[in-house]
Amino acid sequence: MKVVSTDKAPVAIGPYSQAIDMGNVVYTSGVIPVDPATGNIPDGSVAQAEQAFSNLKNLIEASGSSMDKVIKTTVFIKEMDDFAKINEVYAKYFEEPYPARSCVEVARLPKDVMLEIEAIVSK
């Protein structure tokens, strides 16, 4: 087991690792739309989705893998009404065959962001 860490994704805000590399598979923690350079959170679901997926991509690349090797994602969103907009951003980061995915609406997320995403990635 190896800890994956990068300054190109938000630092962990609790007792957890950004990701864990198990050799053939990487498990990311939930990634939120915090700009890792400034700590700022963009306004609006589209801008937040862009930031979160960019952060996820950076974390996956820091593990030595890539977005085309993502097996499964879980997307937590604050408003199901934003699903279509977030889905458009999601489609920019993944190509067919798309990873398996779950998407659920939740009452609240860390730092009151509008979405969080986690992934399981092959290497």
PDB file of all heavy atoms in Angstrom, residues 61-75:
ATOM      1  N   GLU A  61      -3.178  11.322 -12.211  1.00  0.00           N
ATOM      2  CA  GLU A  61      -1.891  11.382 -12.900  1.00  0.00           C
ATOM      3  C   GLU A  61      -0.729  11.292 -11.913  1.00  0.00           C
ATOM      4  O   GLU A  61       0.296  10.683 -12.205  1.00  0.00           O
ATOM      5  CB  GLU A  61      -1.805  12.631 -13.766  1.00  0.00           C
ATOM      6  CG  GLU A  61      -2.714  12.534 -14.981  1.00  0.00           C
ATOM      7  CD  GLU A  61      -2.782  13.807 -15.813  1.00  0.00           C
ATOM      8  OE1 GLU A  61      -2.249  14.856 -15.378  1.00  0.00           O
ATOM      9  OE2 GLU A  61      -3.390  13.742 -16.902  1.00  0.00           O
ATOM     10  N   ALA A  62      -0.884  11.856 -10.717  1.00  0.00           N
ATOM     11  CA  ALA A  62       0.159  11.758  -9.693  1.00  0.00           C
ATOM     12  C   ALA A  62       0.352  10.314  -9.237  1.00  0.00           C
ATOM     13  O   ALA A  62       1.435   9.950  -8.771  1.00  0.00           O
ATOM     14  CB  ALA A  62      -0.182  12.655  -8.500  1.00  0.00           C
ATOM     15  N   SER A  63      -0.674   9.500  -9.412  1.00  0.00           N
ATOM     16  CA  SER A  63      -0.575   8.082  -9.035  1.00  0.00           C
ATOM     17  C   SER A  63       0.139   7.261 -10.103  1.00  0.00           C
ATOM     18  O   SER A  63       0.422   6.086  -9.891  1.00  0.00           O
ATOM     19  CB  SER A  63      -1.970   7.497  -8.790  1.00  0.00           C
ATOM     20  OG  SER A  63      -2.623   7.198 -10.024  1.00  0.00           O
ATOM     21  N   GLY A  64       0.368   7.879 -11.270  1.00  0.00           N
ATOM     22  CA  GLY A  64       0.992   7.156 -12.373  1.00  0.00           C
ATOM     23  C   GLY A  64      -0.016   6.545 -13.325  1.00  0.00           C
ATOM     24  O   GLY A  64       0.349   5.773 -14.211  1.00  0.00           O
ATOM     25  N   SER A  65      -1.295   6.883 -13.160  1.00  0.00           N
ATOM     26  CA  SER A  65      -2.326   6.357 -14.049  1.00  0.00           C
ATOM     27  C   SER A  65      -2.923   7.510 -14.866  1.00  0.00           C
ATOM     28  O   SER A  65      -2.328   8.573 -14.958  1.00  0.00           O
ATOM     29  CB  SER A  65      -3.410   5.627 -13.248  1.00  0.00           C
ATOM     30  OG  SER A  65      -4.220   4.855 -14.119  1.00  0.00           O
ATOM     31  N   SER A  66      -4.074   7.269 -15.463  1.00  0.00           N
ATOM     32  CA  SER A  66      -4.695   8.297 -16.296  1.00  0.00           C
ATOM     33  C   SER A  66      -6.208   8.146 -16.287  1.00  0.00           C
ATOM     34  O   SER A  66      -6.744   7.108 -15.886  1.00  0.00           O
ATOM     35  CB  SER A  66      -4.164   8.209 -17.731  1.00  0.00           C
ATOM     36  OG  SER A  66      -4.433   6.926 -18.262  1.00  0.00           O
ATOM     37  N   MET A  67      -6.882   9.182 -16.747  1.00  0.00           N
ATOM     38  CA  MET A  67      -8.343   9.207 -16.725  1.00  0.00           C
ATOM     39  C   MET A  67      -8.963   8.084 -17.566  1.00  0.00           C
ATOM     40  O   MET A  67     -10.059   7.632 -17.261  1.00  0.00           O
ATOM     41  CB  MET A  67      -8.860  10.567 -17.203  1.00  0.00           C
ATOM     42  CG  MET A  67      -8.527  11.721 -16.274  1.00  0.00           C
ATOM     43  SD  MET A  67      -9.307  11.611 -14.657  1.00  0.00           S
ATOM     44  CE  MET A  67     -10.913  12.312 -15.039  1.00  0.00           C
ATOM     45  N   ASP A  68      -8.268   7.630 -18.590  1.00  0.00           N
ATOM     46  CA  ASP A  68      -8.833   6.564 -19.418  1.00  0.00           C
ATOM     47  C   ASP A  68      -8.772   5.199 -18.734  1.00  0.00           C
ATOM     48  O   ASP A  68      -9.286   4.216 -19.260  1.00  0.00           O
ATOM     49  CB  ASP A  68      -8.162   6.515 -20.794  1.00  0.00           C
ATOM     50  CG  ASP A  68      -6.680   6.174 -20.736  1.00  0.00           C
ATOM     51  OD1 ASP A  68      -6.035   6.456 -19.710  1.00  0.00           O
ATOM     52  OD2 ASP A  68      -6.171   5.637 -21.730  1.00  0.00           O
ATOM     53  N   LYS A  69      -8.184   5.143 -17.545  1.00  0.00           N
ATOM     54  CA  LYS A  69      -8.117   3.893 -16.793  1.00  0.00           C
ATOM     55  C   LYS A  69      -9.036   3.903 -15.567  1.00  0.00           C
ATOM     56  O   LYS A  69      -8.957   3.020 -14.716  1.00  0.00           O
ATOM     57  CB  LYS A  69      -6.677   3.612 -16.387  1.00  0.00           C
ATOM     58  CG  LYS A  69      -5.799   3.328 -17.607  1.00  0.00           C
ATOM     59  CD  LYS A  69      -4.421   2.922 -17.205  1.00  0.00           C
ATOM     60  CE  LYS A  69      -3.615   2.604 -18.468  1.00  0.00           C
ATOM     61  NZ  LYS A  69      -2.272   2.178 -18.150  1.00  0.00           N
ATOM     62  N   VAL A  70      -9.904   4.908 -15.498  1.00  0.00           N
ATOM     63  CA  VAL A  70     -10.860   4.966 -14.393  1.00  0.00           C
ATOM     64  C   VAL A  70     -11.895   3.862 -14.590  1.00  0.00           C
ATOM     65  O   VAL A  70     -12.497   3.736 -15.654  1.00  0.00           O
ATOM     66  CB  VAL A  70     -11.532   6.350 -14.305  1.00  0.00           C
ATOM     67  CG1 VAL A  70     -12.643   6.342 -13.256  1.00  0.00           C
ATOM     68  CG2 VAL A  70     -10.507   7.427 -13.975  1.00  0.00           C
ATOM     69  N   ILE A  71     -12.093   3.070 -13.560  1.00  0.00           N
ATOM     70  CA  ILE A  71     -13.030   1.945 -13.592  1.00  0.00           C
ATOM     71  C   ILE A  71     -14.411   2.373 -13.110  1.00  0.00           C
ATOM     72  O   ILE A  71     -15.423   2.019 -13.692  1.00  0.00           O
ATOM     73  CB  ILE A  71     -12.515   0.806 -12.685  1.00  0.00           C
ATOM     74  CG1 ILE A  71     -11.147   0.316 -13.148  1.00  0.00           C
ATOM     75  CG2 ILE A  71     -13.519  -0.333 -12.606  1.00  0.00           C
ATOM     76  CD1 ILE A  71     -10.417  -0.526 -12.113  1.00  0.00           C
ATOM     77  N   LYS A  72     -14.431   3.143 -12.017  1.00  0.00           N
ATOM     78  CA  LYS A  72     -15.692   3.497 -11.368  1.00  0.00           C
ATOM     79  C   LYS A  72     -15.567   4.852 -10.708  1.00  0.00           C
ATOM     80  O   LYS A  72     -14.526   5.170 -10.139  1.00  0.00           O
ATOM     81  CB  LYS A  72     -16.005   2.431 -10.291  1.00  0.00           C
ATOM     82  CG  LYS A  72     -17.088   2.777  -9.287  1.00  0.00           C
ATOM     83  CD  LYS A  72     -18.449   2.416  -9.788  1.00  0.00           C
ATOM     84  CE  LYS A  72     -19.552   2.421  -8.750  1.00  0.00           C
ATOM     85  NZ  LYS A  72     -19.925   3.682  -8.195  1.00  0.00           N
ATOM     86  N   THR A  73     -16.611   5.657 -10.814  1.00  0.00           N
ATOM     87  CA  THR A  73     -16.674   6.924 -10.092  1.00  0.00           C
ATOM     88  C   THR A  73     -17.936   6.969  -9.248  1.00  0.00           C
ATOM     89  O   THR A  73     -18.936   6.314  -9.561  1.00  0.00           O
ATOM     90  CB  THR A  73     -16.682   8.149 -11.039  1.00  0.00           C
ATOM     91  OG1 THR A  73     -17.862   8.111 -11.843  1.00  0.00           O
ATOM     92  CG2 THR A  73     -15.448   8.189 -11.916  1.00  0.00           C
ATOM     93  N   THR A  74     -17.866   7.744  -8.214  1.00  0.00           N
ATOM     94  CA  THR A  74     -19.051   8.101  -7.438  1.00  0.00           C
ATOM     95  C   THR A  74     -19.065   9.618  -7.366  1.00  0.00           C
ATOM     96  O   THR A  74     -18.070  10.238  -6.986  1.00  0.00           O
ATOM     97  CB  THR A  74     -19.018   7.497  -6.026  1.00  0.00           C
ATOM     98  OG1 THR A  74     -18.856   6.081  -6.128  1.00  0.00           O
ATOM     99  CG2 THR A  74     -20.310   7.800  -5.275  1.00  0.00           C
ATOM    100  N   VAL A  75     -20.176  10.196  -7.784  1.00  0.00           N
ATOM    101  CA  VAL A  75     -20.331  11.648  -7.788  1.00  0.00           C
ATOM    102  C   VAL A  75     -21.426  11.998  -6.784  1.00  0.00           C
ATOM    103  O   VAL A  75     -22.537  11.465  -6.857  1.00  0.00           O
ATOM    104  CB  VAL A  75     -20.709  12.171  -9.193  1.00  0.00           C
ATOM    105  CG1 VAL A  75     -20.809  13.690  -9.183  1.00  0.00           C
ATOM    106  CG2 VAL A  75     -19.706  11.702 -10.239  1.00  0.00           C
TER     107      VAL A  75
END
